[in-house]
Amino acid sequence: MNTMNLASIAVRVYQMDAMVAFYSEAFNVQFENVVTSGFTSKFGSINGIILKFVPIREEVDFENYPIHQLGFSVPDIEKVIKIALKHGGKTEGNAAVRDPDGNTLELYSE
């Protein structure tokens, strides 16, 4: 039987520095620069899944761009909420935050 696994997630990013800082600190993602279509993107890995941050080229592209929603199982939800707030994110309900670009992150305790 063939097994299918999620290999990567690409997220278009406007506030690249804040996004990289938040995901690095909150989820221990180590990013590296990768040139994609002439633009420098940031690629990292979370439990073997490649997280790709691809820059949005113009501010106008960001205005009406759909927001992503990711879910993370974490050992300390309050810690991740504090890190999100530190990097310009917002709280969103009980166990959810918004990252610096406004994407909703659901947080689950391990």
Side-chain angles (χ1 to χ4, degrees):
M1 181 171 145
N2 290 335
T3 302
M4 288 191 245
N5 294 307
L6 181 63
S8 69
I9 298 171
V11 178
R12 289 187 66 191
V13 171
Y14 180 60
Q15 299 181 70
M16 186 67 78
D17 291 341
M19 291 285 283
V20 167
F22 169 67
Y23 282 84
S24 295
E25 187 175 346
F27 304 111
N28 199 31
V29 179
Q30 303 299 310
F31 289 94
E32 62 182 59
N33 291 334
V34 176
V35 177
T36 56
S37 301
F39 295 94
T40 301
S41 297
K42 303 284 189 179
F43 285 22
S45 178
I46 296 178
N47 293 329
I49 298 172
I50 299 169
L51 179 60
K52 302 175 182 180
F53 285 170
V54 181
I56 292 177
R57 293 178 283 283
E58 303 291 333
E59 184 174 355
V60 71
D61 291 341
F62 182 70
E63 281 182 29
N64 295 311
Y65 197 78
I67 300 296
H68 300 84
Q69 184 167 328
L70 306 173
F72 290 92
S73 178
V74 297
D76 188 344
I77 290 173
E78 290 301 316
K79 178 180 176 183
V80 175
I81 290 171
K82 287 178 186 174
I83 294 169
L85 296 173
K86 172 182 165 184
H87 291 287
K90 300 175 184 170
T91 56
E92 189 73 24
N94 282 339
V97 296
R98 289 194 181 267
D99 68 19
D101 266 1
N103 300 301
T104 304
L105 306 179
E106 295 176 330
L107 303 173
Y108 309 99
S109 58
E110 293 183 332

